[in-house]
Amino acid sequence: MKISEVIEIIEQYAPIEIADDGDRPKVGLQLGSRNPECTGVVTCLDATLDVIKLAVENGCNMVVSHHPLIYYPLQKVDADEVHGEVVAYALKNDVTVYSAHTNFDKCEIGTNASLVKMFGGKTIETNGCCFLCEIEPTTVRDFALKIATVLNDKSVKVAGNPDKLVRKFAVCSGGGGGAYSFLEYAEKNADVYVSGDMPHHIYLEAVNRDFACIEFSHYASEIMAEDVFKSILENKVKVIKANQLCPFRTLEEL
């Protein structure tokens, strides 16, 4: 199977066309070539140097990541700098890097669809990368506890009334905490907004406007991408999951 055929499988589920407009140029083939035979795939959240080395050590010439390796335009590739070292090492070892980002967030098997199932919800509407869901009635407090448990995330935070009743929630995986369009959509249609990377002023708004927000870590809400990529590819080609760890630890975990 060629690398191009592996790409076709991924894009059957997460076509590039559904990625956000600003994200679309950043998804898909990031480094390397789609022409070689695929000797194996490493699935990951982030295409770090350790991941590229894992691929090389295991005879894999393709890495499939959720976060794009090249997210901002590169002005140079300096192998003595962290980002440049990853790019240079991948090219030197003929490792192709492919990324599915907001197209994967939106698709039926992607990050948000996975979170909805994990949280016990049912999707009733989507607004880009933000999914509106129904859930059996619970409180913000108990819902936050459930989220922390199923994601194994000790960093979960709550803003707003913890006793507020939740029948609908809006969720956006990763870093949707600062997206005002999603926040306004959630406030209008849901009882609580669940996302990551929330800035301070969002907490204040949740308190002052009788709205509730639950923040999870960016990592915890998207690490399942490793498993989903593996599940759609493992019967077609050799697949190794990177098993990446969260880049930070809470004080409780030290």
Side-chain angles (χ1 to χ4, degrees):
M1 172 176 284
K2 288 184 176 295
I3 286 176
S4 60
E5 294 175 282
V6 176
I7 291 174
E8 287 175 5
I9 293 170
I10 297 170
E11 292 182 0
Q12 286 175 7
Y13 296 93
I16 289 177
E17 291 75 21
I18 68 171
D20 285 351
D21 290 344
D23 195 54
R24 200 169 299 138
K26 306 168 187 176
V27 301
L29 184 68
Q30 289 242 302
L31 284 178
S33 172
R34 62 183 70 235
N35 296 320
E37 288 291 320
C38 183
T39 59
V41 176
V42 173
T43 63
C44 63
L45 178 60
D46 297 288
T48 63
L49 183 60
D50 286 342
V51 169
I52 307 299
K53 287 182 175 179
L54 178 67
V56 174
E57 290 165 3
N58 287 275
C60 300
N61 65 348
M62 185 177 187
V63 166
V64 175
S65 70
H66 177 46
H67 292 149
L69 170 61
I70 304 173
Y71 193 75
Y72 299 106
L74 290 178
Q75 304 300 319
K76 58 183 178 179
V77 178
D78 184 344
D80 292 326
E81 295 179 351
V82 174
H83 207 83
E85 185 180 17
V86 179
V87 172
Y89 189 84
L91 291 173
K92 178 181 178 180
N93 289 278
D94 297 320
V95 175
T96 292
V97 178
Y98 180 93
S99 300
H101 193 214
T102 53
N103 50 327
F104 189 66
D105 292 328
K106 295 179 181 180
C107 75
E108 294 181 358
I109 65 166
T111 53
N112 283 298
S114 297
L115 291 177
V116 173
K117 291 180 182 178
M118 295 168 76
F119 298 164
K122 178 183 177 182
T123 301
I124 56 176
E125 186 176 298
T126 61
N127 177 30
C129 295
C130 188
F131 283 38
L132 179 66
C133 314
E134 292 178 330
I135 193 173
E136 289 295 318
T138 186
T139 63
V140 168
R141 176 187 289 103
D142 288 342
F143 191 38
L145 287 170
K146 180 172 186 174
I147 289 170
T149 299
V150 299
L151 294 182
N152 191 26
D153 184 359
K154 299 182 186 300
S155 72
V156 168
K157 302 181 185 73
V158 175
N161 180 6
D163 296 315
K164 183 179 180 180
L165 191 64
V166 177
R167 293 186 177 90
K168 292 181 181 179
F169 68 92
V171 62
C172 177
S173 68
Y180 255 97
S181 61
F182 291 165
L183 182 70
E184 291 170 352
Y185 171 80
E187 186 175 12
K188 179 180 178 181
N189 296 287
D191 302 304
V192 61
Y193 179 46
V194 187
S195 191
D197 301 345
M198 291 188 179
H200 178 72
H201 66 273
I202 296 299
Y203 293 144
L204 293 178
E205 290 195 23
V207 172
N208 294 331
R209 291 159 64 173
D210 191 28
F211 186 60
C213 292
I214 299 173
E215 179 185 4
F216 44 45
S217 76
H218 197 129
Y219 164 89
S221 72
E222 296 190 330
I223 189 59
M224 93 289 283
E226 292 188 347
D227 293 297
V228 180
F229 289 139
K230 186 174 187 292
S231 70
I232 64 175
L233 296 174
E234 60 186 349
N235 293 326
K236 312 292 193 308
V237 66
K238 179 176 76 173
V239 182
I240 297 172
K241 190 172 70 168
N243 289 316
Q244 288 182 303
L245 299 177
C246 184
F248 70 85
R249 288 181 289 173
T250 63
L251 289 176
E252 182 181 351
E253 295 169 320
L254 291 177

